[in-house]
Amino acid sequence: MPTTPPSARSYSSGTSGVPLLGDTIGENLDRAVHAFPDRDALVECATGRRWSYTEFAADVDAVALGLLALGVAKGDRVGIWAPNRAEWTLAQYATARLGAILVTVNPAYRSHELEYVLNQAGIRVLVAADRFRTSDYAGMIAEVRPRCPALEQVVLLDGPDWEGLLAAGRAGDPAALAERQAELSPDDPINIQYTSGTTGFPKGATLTHHNILNNGYFVGELCGYTEHDRICIPVPFYHCFGMVMGNLAATSHGACMVIPAPAFDPRATLEAVASESCTSLYGVPTMFIAELADPEFDRHDLSSLRTGIMAGAPCPVEVMKDVMGRMGMTEVSICYGMTETSPVSTQTRADDSVERRVSTVGRVGPHLEVKVVDPATGRTVPRGEPGELCTRGYSVMLGYWGEPAKTAEAVDPAGWMHTGDLAVMDGDGYLSITGRLKDMVIRGGENLYPREIEEFLHTHPDVLDVQVIGVPDEKYGEELMAWVRMRSGAEPLTAESVRVYCAGRLAHFKIPRYVHVVEEFPMTVTGKIRKVEMREQAAGILAGPEVPPGR
């Protein structure tokens, strides 16, 4: 059998003359404070609060010493459950100073998901907003707390809890914090981020200082960041996009983090860019589409913008042209990755063509490797042929928290993370994502796994069986559709009745938009559900002249 020459294989490694960082996050922040003491570190537009690097470090230390006073030890899990706000960022760097493991909890979670994460991670201290919009965080915490034995302390941000923590920290001994930080290693776990899993429950990707600090740093390097950059971060902090590609990319370069609003708001984002002279703007394509469509778009002075990052979903070519032309982001970068890889594995460069930016996810990042393999044999395929994308290097997680078997399924003995995504590598090493091995649905940048939603809907007393698929959607890229078999005698479910059942128990973006009631599912001769056929049928159902059954 002929073999593929090495140069023609779908393999690429990211060479770099810039070495990996060997710091902990706290040490790296100290370097930025020493180099840029008076430069802006953090701006919160909603409140007008701002911190220089010196002021930011002082408040980070106060939070860290406050947590130390609560008895937080190295390796303890500290949860953070809040929308984007300055206190979120302070907690991020404070836990890093202590060597506590920050568990980022999605602000859209409801009691069902919160309880699972609190127990699975063994969270000892939970820092949380009291409420935001329709989310009563304090109420949900009170509801689940009796069933969460590890949870010892809850620190609510909007009242005496947080102020008490800061006061205790400011009265603490800085030498105790310095002593703790000196005990830390860059290879210590520092962050658990939950990513939906096919097991029916989220899995906690466990990441180190070395993982996320270097990933943020090199993403920033490819964006050309310096201390003169000001990065507008409307993407959520609970995800790597916000806290790594945003916050850590900024502080590792002495740049400024700008929080435009607690949650994404296109007008507030545009106002933040203009008022703070931001040089970089982040978002998923739907965010940029919303900003460009704002009726007052043209009155905002965006002339300071130079670059930014778009990730989470493919970018339509016209949107990319508008982002570069109307928004002035001529150096905008496309990134691809996953939580388990800290997150970025590939990225376009500033001099890449528009075509490259809309048709590929760029080339491998510095100090990383990527390859495309035949899922059946594991052999690297020739360039131009599809296969499963794998990545290896400093960015790969330690594993899924408390789930060694699931870790072994994702990371092979040679250290390759199997992404589950189908990709093609061209002759220049650029990668295009062509599909998914599994049935993951990407809705507006959120990665959703049908099995988790199916498991929850199975708790409905009238549901005999349920299958969830992704269907095309103009606004979000994909939406969820549930195919449901009802128990005998039960009234058919509708999209509205499913929404009511899920409200307060499942994050809003996980609630199916469409519900289709069936007698049977399409099956193979061996009894396996044919989701491919379901998706094909769904296209006809949703395009039909009549309202889909159960919609």
Side-chain angles (χ1 to χ4, degrees), residues 150-443:
L151 184 61
E152 297 175 8
Q153 300 275 349
V154 175
V155 178
L156 295 177
L157 291 172
D158 302 299
D161 291 359
W162 181 253
E163 291 305 318
L165 183 82
L166 283 174
R170 289 179 179 130
D173 180 6
L177 182 57
E179 183 179 336
R180 172 67 69 83
Q181 187 165 295
E183 298 171 355
L184 306 182
S185 163
D187 295 322
D188 291 335
I190 201 63
N191 183 214
I192 297 175
Q193 298 209 17
Y194 278 87
T195 177
S196 294
T198 53
T199 59
F201 290 101
K203 295 175 290 189
T206 307
L207 305 169
T208 67
H209 294 269
H210 193 68
N211 287 149
I212 61 177
L213 175 59
N214 275 291
N215 204 258
Y217 175 68
F218 280 103
V219 165
E221 285 288 285
L222 292 184
C223 288
Y225 288 156
T226 71
E227 70 273 18
H228 300 291
D229 280 289
R230 302 174 69 82
I231 307 168
C232 185
I233 311 172
V235 295
F237 287 156
Y238 78 86
H239 188 273
C240 278
F241 201 169
M243 69 168 286
V244 177
M245 299 157 70
N247 294 347
L248 287 170
T251 58
S252 61
H253 290 87
C256 179
M257 303 167 279
V258 177
I259 306 173
F264 175 64
D265 179 291
R267 180 75 52 82
T269 301
L270 294 170
E271 289 173 351
V273 170
S275 64
E276 292 298 327
S277 299
C278 293
T279 58
S280 177
L281 173 61
Y282 288 6
V284 299
T286 53
M287 290 181 174
F288 286 101
I289 290 167
E291 290 153 10
L292 289 159
D294 188 281
E296 297 188 20
F297 176 88
D298 290 327
R299 81 170 181 84
H300 298 286
D301 180 4
L302 308 182
S303 60
S304 58
L305 281 176
R306 169 182 64 83
T307 187
I309 293 175
M310 195 182 304
C315 179
V317 64
E318 292 306 315
V319 176
M320 177 60 76
K321 287 178 179 177
D322 280 346
V323 166
M324 298 177 72
R326 294 180 63 200
M327 300 183 87
M329 296 169 58
T330 55
E331 299 175 21
V332 65
S333 183
I334 300 294
C335 292
Y336 163 83
M338 58 194 307
T339 305
E340 291 89 337
T341 57
S342 303
V344 176
S345 297
T346 69
Q347 186 171 352
T348 61
R349 275 51 168 181
D351 57 353
D352 283 335
S353 66
V354 173
E355 175 58 28
R356 290 283 200 200
R357 295 185 221 197
V358 296
S359 64
T360 80
V361 291
R363 292 176 282 138
V364 64
H367 301 287
L368 296 173
E369 299 171 272
V370 292
K371 65 178 179 177
V372 181
V373 303
D374 182 329
T377 65
R379 291 177 64 88
T380 305
V381 301
R383 294 199 178 195
E385 290 190 12
E388 183 184 11
L389 178 59
C390 300
T391 183
R392 181 169 67 177
Y394 73 82
S395 66
V396 176
M397 65 175 180
L398 291 180
Y400 294 120
W401 184 263
E403 297 193 83
K406 292 296 176 188
T407 302
E409 290 175 11
V411 184
D412 68 25
W416 288 98
M417 176 76 207
H418 290 250
T419 68
D421 285 323
L422 293 169
V424 175
M425 182 184 291
D426 70 13
D428 296 319
Y430 286 84
L431 285 153
S432 300
I433 305 299
T434 59
R436 296 183 289 280
L437 288 176
K438 299 175 184 176
D439 295 312
M440 185 177 76
V441 177
I442 301 180
R443 180 192 181 276

